[in-house]
Each structure stands twice: as structure tokens, then as C-alpha cells.
Amino acid sequence: MKNITIWMAAVMLVLSQPVSAQNQETTTVKISGNCDMCKQTIENAAGKGATINWNEHTGTATVRYNPKKTNLDNILKQVAYAGYDNELYLAPAEAYNKLHACCKYERSNAVTAAPAVENTAITATAPLQAVLNAYFAVKDALVKSDGVAAQAAGKQLAAALNGIDARKLEAGAQTAWSQAEKGLKMAAATVGATTDLAAQRKTLAGIAAPMRLLAQAAKPGQPVYLQHCPMYADGKGGDWLSRRKTSKPFLRRADVELRQHKSHHRMKKLITALLLLLAALPAAAQRTVTYHLYVKDTMVNYTGKSRMAYAVNGQIPMPELHFTEGDTAEVFIHNELHTETSIHWHGLILPNEQDGVPYLTTAPIKAHTVHRYKFPLVQNGTYWYHSHTALQEQSGMYGAFIIHKREKPAMPEYTLLLSDWTDMHPHQVERRLKAATDWFSIKKGQLKKVWCRATRKPLAQGTSARK
């Protein structure tokens, strides 16, 4: 009887486990990153059926997932799309460039320039390989300006396309074929129906995207590259596929969108414009003003009773921060509390991610961590900054933020910052206000003043009544 009871308990224990916890796979991978904000973004990229626990100190992540719902390849692909390099995929440059300044981890030159295609030979899918061969025959003929040869190759391309039976393709190749079929067949028919080089080149330049899909699905035995001609179409440029490494390859490792190789003359124009812009900026715009703010618990006594409060750099209110219009503000928040905090820059025009409202625009500053705010100052005037976390502002976390006018003589000035204080805990004040009990009005005698006016009694009588 005892053995039966133990057996039944074991069965119940197994059945009580959540379904999602059964058949899970766990693995450890390397993911690049810097800070807490990186951690939040990386872990949010896991998607359904998976969780990621990333350690910012070691750069390793524990990935748990249900193989019936997803796989490690898809999970790390989403991490790359979020901007973070990992063991399987490299983040696209566009995604990396969108990261916060503090999140931009150091990338190797090989990653930043162009990750190489793996040259491992793979058995090609024969029908799709025939399409690739015909495509390259058309391109080679156009390189030689041979319209007749291009026409003949175009007919071969049309025949290769018409010879594909989608039912015999692998699942991935079927998807690529369904997306590319219509456009490729129309293009092949156009090239095969004319010897006009201009028309043939225009048609070939328009099918680089669908051919990319087929090139990836065909699994060619040698790398396939994107070839960009900046002089095509009067400087507008055009794209073709190539078997020669004349430009950036397909990033098959990262499976990201192809990035066009920018032309030399367009890059020169961009660099020239940037140099002119920098030359036009005043010297003051190049200055970065840095502050370090240390947030700590403290005790204050304003009423004869000691109460807990928050001090920054040992003072309440927080230190005055002075800048000049055109400066770049760089403020490091050292959170030495045992709870999270935040800083909101009230009234400032700045990038949304620097605004400082936790869980809305900026990640909260975790306990015992350091967070850097950095933003340009495009205005002038007197503003203030304060905590946006757990009513910390009402317990001392507020201060003046002053931006002086540019190219104006300095004048003597004094900052007057008005606030109030109560020994009552801010959350208790908030609770009573939400309850709408008029407790604070009664406590301060305001209702008796109103009663005196309503009954037309002298104010002195009302005052005497309060005493």
C-alpha cells in the first residue's frame, strides 16, 4: 500500500508540471552586448515558446525553448534582428546602428565590414541551379554588350523556369519559388523577346531581389555575391548577382537583407556634406559637459522628527546642473539604492529613449548599477529634473536644470527652487488623496474658512473656533 501511494504521488507530480516545461531544450550561447538595457532587449527577442537569460558580465545566455514551437536558429535570428551578434547570426548594420549609445558593443572589423560567406560546398537543388546558370549566362552576355547572346540566354532562362516542378522542391525552396516565380518568368520572356541591350539590362536589374531568394534556396556549391553598378541608369545604380567577389556577399550566416555597396562618388558627396556641416557648427556645439550623480538613502529632520529621504551627491534638492545651449549633456546616474530609480528631464527636447520615464521610454536604473544619459541641448532656459520612480521625487529627488543662452555675457544669478515637505510617507499621502476624504483640508483648517464665508461669520470667529 505504501509503494502504491508513493507511485501515485510521483504520477501526480509529473502531471502537475506545466505543459510548457515538458520536452524543453536548454543550451548556452554567446551573445554580444553591454548593459541592462541590452539584457532587456535580448531577452524580449526570444519570442513565443522560448526564454533567454543573458548575463551581461560573461556575455553568455541560457536559452530554453520548446522544439515543437521554435528552434535555436529562429531564436538567435530574432536576437540578431534586434541588433545583437551571436554565435549563429550577425546583426544587420541597420539594426546595430539603431541601438542606444550605451548598448553599442565593440564589433570586430570582420563583422562591421562584411561577414564572409561560408565556402562549404553544398549539393545544389538541380532545377534551381539550372535557373542560376541561365541567369548568369544572360548577365555575362550583357557585360559583353551582346544582345543576341543575351536573347538566346533569356530563352534558356525561360525554359529552365518553366521546367521547375514546385512539388519536388524542398519546403524552403518551395516558399522562395512561390514568391519569385511570376516576376522571373515575365523577365525571362522580356529578355528572350528582344536584342535591345537597354531593355535587357533594365529587365535584369529589376529581378535581383527574386533571384536572391532562389540563390539562397538553391544552395549553390560556390558563394553568390551581390554586384552593384553605380553608373547604371544615369547614376541611379543597379544590382545583379555575381559569382565573383566584386562586392559584398550574401550574408547567409546572418540571413539578413542584402546591403547594397554604396558607390564611390555618392560616398564622397556624403563625406563632403558632413565636413561642411561640422565646419558650420560653432565651437560650443562640440563641448560635452559631464556630471556624475550618486543616489543614496539618507535621513532628514525638517520638523523635529527624523524621516527617510533620498539624497543625490549628499544633498536635497539635487545639484543644479548648468549647461550652455549647443552643449552635449552627459550625466551618469550611480544608483546606490537597493531599489531601482530613474531620472526624467522635464521639459527638455531630446531623443525619446533618453527621456527617462521607466518602462515607457527608458529602462529603469537597477539597484547598484550605473546608467549614462547623453543628449544634445537644442534650447535654453530654466528647467528641472526629477525621479520618475515610486514617488522618490516627493522624498528629495528633484533639482534645477539650467541651460544658458549661447554667446550671451554671463550675469550674476541665483536659483530659487520651491518645494514642500511632509513627514508622512508619500504613498500614504497618495492613498488619502485618492480616497477623496478631504483629510488634508480638514487638517489644515480650510473647511472652517469656507464655513465662515458661507455663514457670513467674521473670519476671526472661524480662527477662534479652530484654536
Side-chain angles (χ1 to χ4, degrees), residues 154-455:
K155 292 178 180 179
Q156 294 177 0
L157 178 59
L161 290 167
N162 290 328
I164 291 180
D165 185 353
R167 295 171 298 178
K168 297 181 180 180
L169 298 177
E170 297 178 357
Q174 287 181 356
T175 302
W177 174 248
S178 66
Q179 297 177 16
E181 177 184 8
K182 184 177 179 180
L184 291 180
K185 286 185 175 180
M186 291 179 60
T190 300
V191 173
T194 182
T195 59
D196 184 348
L197 286 171
Q200 290 173 333
R201 285 170 174 157
K202 182 178 180 180
T203 301
L204 195 70
I207 60 173
M211 281 304 303
R212 171 182 70 85
L213 295 174
L214 286 192
Q216 291 176 325
K219 300 177 181 178
Q222 65 185 91
V224 175
Y225 300 93
L226 178 68
Q227 188 178 56
H228 181 75
C229 176
M231 303 309 295
Y232 175 74
D234 297 326
K236 294 180 180 178
D239 296 328
W240 293 269
L241 303 187
S242 175
R243 284 174 170 149
R244 296 191 300 273
K245 191 174 181 179
T246 54
S247 63
K248 294 184 180 180
F250 286 114
L251 306 184
R252 191 175 300 145
R253 177 185 168 197
D255 195 24
V256 297
E257 291 297 323
L258 291 175
R259 296 175 291 182
Q260 296 183 353
H261 183 63
K262 295 183 178 179
S263 63
H264 180 64
H265 72 283
R266 291 180 66 184
M267 184 59 71
K268 285 179 64 177
K269 286 184 177 179
L270 177 60
I271 293 174
T272 302
L274 288 174
L275 289 176
L276 290 174
L277 178 61
L278 291 174
L281 291 175
Q286 308 303 316
R287 190 178 70 155
T288 298
V289 179
T290 302
Y291 286 93
H292 287 266
L293 303 180
Y294 295 83
V295 184
K296 296 183 179 180
D297 290 315
T298 188
M299 297 296 292
V300 297
N301 189 335
Y302 296 128
T303 64
K305 297 180 181 179
S306 295
R307 291 291 184 266
M308 189 279 292
Y310 299 101
V312 174
N313 291 6
Q315 67 179 73
I316 296 175
M318 295 193 289
E320 292 180 21
L321 306 185
H322 287 265
F323 304 89
T324 300
E325 183 181 7
D327 287 346
T328 294
E330 183 181 45
V331 184
F332 291 87
I333 307 299
H334 302 257
N335 183 10
E336 299 186 359
L337 302 176
H338 297 296
T339 60
E340 65 185 37
T341 188
S342 62
I343 293 293
H344 170 60
W345 314 100
H346 201 106
L348 297 188
I349 301 171
L350 39 61
N352 193 49
E353 66 274 9
Q354 299 293 326
D355 188 54
V357 179
Y359 301 104
L360 181 62
T361 60
T362 312
I365 306 172
K366 300 295 185 181
H368 308 294
T369 64
V370 180
H371 179 79
R372 182 183 72 163
Y373 291 97
K374 189 172 184 179
F375 46 87
L377 298 174
V378 296
Q379 64 202 102
N380 61 72
T382 301
Y383 302 90
W384 68 303
Y385 67 110
H386 59 88
S387 170
H388 222 290
T389 299
L391 300 181
Q392 293 172 351
E393 171 202 325
Q394 285 74 14
S395 295
M397 287 190 66
Y398 53 89
F401 193 102
I402 301 171
I403 309 173
H404 301 275
K405 291 184 178 180
R406 185 193 304 161
E407 299 177 357
K408 291 285 185 179
M411 298 179 61
E413 61 179 40
Y414 301 92
T415 303
L416 181 62
L417 182 58
L418 300 179
S419 182
D420 55 12
W421 177 265
T422 174
D423 286 340
M424 186 180 297
H425 194 284
H427 286 100
Q428 182 72 358
V429 175
E430 181 185 44
R431 185 184 68 80
R432 294 197 178 186
L433 288 173
K434 287 184 176 180
T437 61
D438 294 323
W439 183 88
F440 291 104
S441 294
I442 297 172
K443 183 72 174 178
K444 295 180 180 180
Q446 297 301 316
L447 288 184
K448 295 183 180 180
K449 291 183 182 180
V450 174
W451 174 258
C452 290
R453 295 191 186 100
T455 58

Side-chain angles (χ1 to χ4, degrees), residues 10-25:
V11 171
M12 293 299 294
L13 179 62
V14 172
L15 293 178
S16 66
Q17 298 297 314
V19 176
S20 59
Q22 299 179 19
N23 301 320
Q24 275 200 345
E25 293 191 12

